[in-house]
Amino acid sequence: MTPEAAAALRAPDHGWRAGVRELARLWRQDGRRWLLWSLLVVLVAVLLVTLVVLARRFEMEQVQRALERDNADAVVDLRHALSADAQRLRQLTAAAPSTDLWEMKAQDLLVAHPAWLRLEWRDAALHLKGERTSPFTSQPLAPPVDQTPLLAACADARRLGAAGFAPSRFVPREGLGVEVMPMCVLVVPGNGAPTYAIAYYALDGVLNHLLGEPYKRRQTVSLTEPDGTRLAVHGSPRRGARIFTSQQMLDLPGNTMVLRMDGWRAAPDLFPNVLTALVTVLAVALITVLVMLARDFRRRQQAEGELADALAFRKAMEDSLVTGLRARDLQGRISYVNPAFCAMVGYDAPELIGHDGPPPYWPPELADSYGRRTAARLAAGGPPRQGVESEFQRKDGSRLPVLIIEAPLITATGKHSGWMGAVIDLSEQRRIEEQQRAAQERLQATARLAAVGEMASLLSHELNQPLAAISSYANGSLNLLHGQEEGGVSLQDVRVALGRIADQAGRAGRVINSVHELARRGATARAAVAPQALVEAVLPLVQLQARKLGASVVVQVPAGLPDVGCEPTMVEQVLLNLARNGLQAMAGRRGERLLTIAAERVGGEGPRQWVAFSVADTGEGIAPEVADQLFTPFFTTKAEGMGLGLSLCRTVVEQHGGALDHAPNTPHGTVFRFTLPVAVPARNIDEIAV
C-alpha cells in the first residue's frame, strides 16, 4: 500500500472511499504487469515440465538402446567363443595318436576351460574311445542315457562341417542341478577314419566363463528357451530399480536359445531431469541478469585485459629465468614447474605436475632418504628458508647437484597452501671448483718438481767444486806416477795428491749429508691421530670427485678406535690416492657406484697393535696380469699416469711399519687395505716404527 492510500484510509471524512479508489488505481497500473509475469511463470513451468518428461523418455530410450547393443555384442561373443572351443577340440583329437595321450591332453584342456563338464572321444559309430571329467566338480557327469539328441548333433556336425549342438537337458547334481548342452565336432585326420569330439557345456558355465565381465557387471544375463523357460542365469536384479529387458536369438546348429539381458537403472529416475530443469531455470535467469551486467561488461573487459597482460608479463619473466621454480602442495605433490626446471631435469611439466610417489628426478638409491628428509621437514613446519644442497637425476640418467631454497606459499586470503622452491643447478659451479682443484694440484705438483729441481741444482752446485778438485788431483797423481817412471819424483808427492783426493771425496759426502739433513728437517713429525680425523680430512675431496662421477661414498669408521702413530699428511695422501683410484675405476661402469672407506682394529692385546684402513670400490676389478706389476714404479694403466702413486703409497705405509695389499671385492671391484700401528708414548714411536 502506498503512503497516499494509507493516508486516505486514515482520513476522518470518507476516508475509506478514498482508500478504495486509490487501491483501484494501483491495480489498474500494476495488475497488468503482474498478470504478464504470472503468465510468463506459467509458461516457463509448462516448458520445464515438458523438458523433464522428454528428457526422461530420452534417457529411457538411451538405456534400452545401450542394452540392445550389449545383447547383440554378447551373442556375437558367444558364437566366437563356441567356434574357438570347437577348433580346440579338433586340434586335440587330430593330434592325439592314442587314447592315453588324448585323455592326458583332454585333462589339461578341461583345467583351462571350466565351462566344460566332460569331454568324450567317439569313433564313427559313436562308440566311446576316451573320456575325461572336469576336475572342478565333485560329482562326475555320466553320459546321457538317450543318445538320440547326441546322434542328431553329430549328424549336423557331419553335414555342416561345423560344430553341432544338442538341446540342453537338466542334470541333478550337488543338491541343485545344471542344464547341460552337448557339442559334437567332426574330426577327420589325414590318414584315418573320421571320429567325433564331444564337449558337455554347463549353461551357467557358458555365462560365467564365455561371456565377458562387462556384460555381467551391468545387468542380469540369462539363457532361455524360445518359449521363455529360463535355463541358466547370472546375476540378480537390484531392488528399487527400473528394469529394461532385451532378448536376442542365439541360433546354434541343432539348438536354438534366447540370450536375455535385464538391465536396471537406479532410482529415482527423476533426479537427473530435475537438474536439467534447474539448468533451464538458471539459463532463463542468466538472460535477465545479462541485461543488468551490461554496464559492467566494459570494466570486466578492461580488468581481463590487464590480467592477461600481467599473466603474459609473469610468463615471460618465468620463461627468462635460468633458476628452476617448483611449487608443491601440502601433501608434497608438485603443482607447478617453470621451463627452466623442466630443462634442468629433462622432464616435461605434465610428467611432473600431480605425480604421486617419489618424484622421477630423485635418484633411486636416494629416494628413501629424500622421502624421510622431506617428511621430517614437513613435520617440523616446512622446509627451511636457507639453501639445502641435494642431487637430482635427469631423465637420461645423468646426475646434477642442485641448491634448493624453499619458502611457504601463501594465498591471497592468507592460507598456507604449499611451498615455492627455487632450484639452482650447481653443475657449472662444481665444474669450476673441480678445475680449480685440478689447477691447484698441478701447481702443487709443479712446486714439488721445482723443489726437486732446486735440490738437484743445490747438489750439482755444491758437488761441482769437490768433484772438480778430485779430477784435478787425480790428473796430477797420474802425472807424478808418470814422472816416477822417468825418475826425479818422490812418492811423497803422490801420497799428498792422494790425500787431497780423499779430503775432497769426504767433502762431497758431507755436502750430500747436509742436503739430506735439510730434507729430513723439512718433513713432518709423527703424532698420535684418531682414525676418524684422518678419514674426515680427505672426505670433502673424495665426495667432490664422487659427485662428479655420480658415485656414493660410505664411511664405516666406528667410534672408540685407538689413535695411530703416523705422519698425518702422508697418511692422508695415501687415503686420498686410494680413494681417487677407486672412483676412477668406477667411472666407466654402469650400475651402482659405491666407494666404502672403513677402519677397524686388528691384532691382539700385545705391544704390537694395529688399525687397518680399507678403501673398497665396485669397479671392474684388477686383471691378474696387472696385479703382479701394480706396485712397480712407473708402471701405470692410465693414459696420463706416471706410475708412482701406488708405489709411493706402499713406501709411506712401510715407512710407518705397516703393509699395503689388495684383494677382490664382493660381488665386484677391488679392496685396498693397509695397516698403521696404534699410537704409543712419544719416546717409543720411533722404536716401534722401525
Side-chain angles (χ1 to χ4, degrees), residues 48 51-52 271-285:
L48 291 180
L51 177 63
V52 169
F271 183 75
N273 304 305
V274 171
L275 292 180
T276 305
L278 291 176
V279 171
T280 305
V281 172
L282 292 176
V284 175

Side-chain angles (χ1 to χ4, degrees), residues 431-453:
R431 186 184 65 81
I432 295 175
E433 291 176 357
E434 183 65 19
Q435 289 180 350
Q436 292 177 350
R437 186 193 59 78
Q440 185 177 4
E441 289 182 354
R442 288 194 296 269
L443 289 175
Q444 292 177 355
T446 304
R448 288 193 295 269
L449 291 176
V452 172

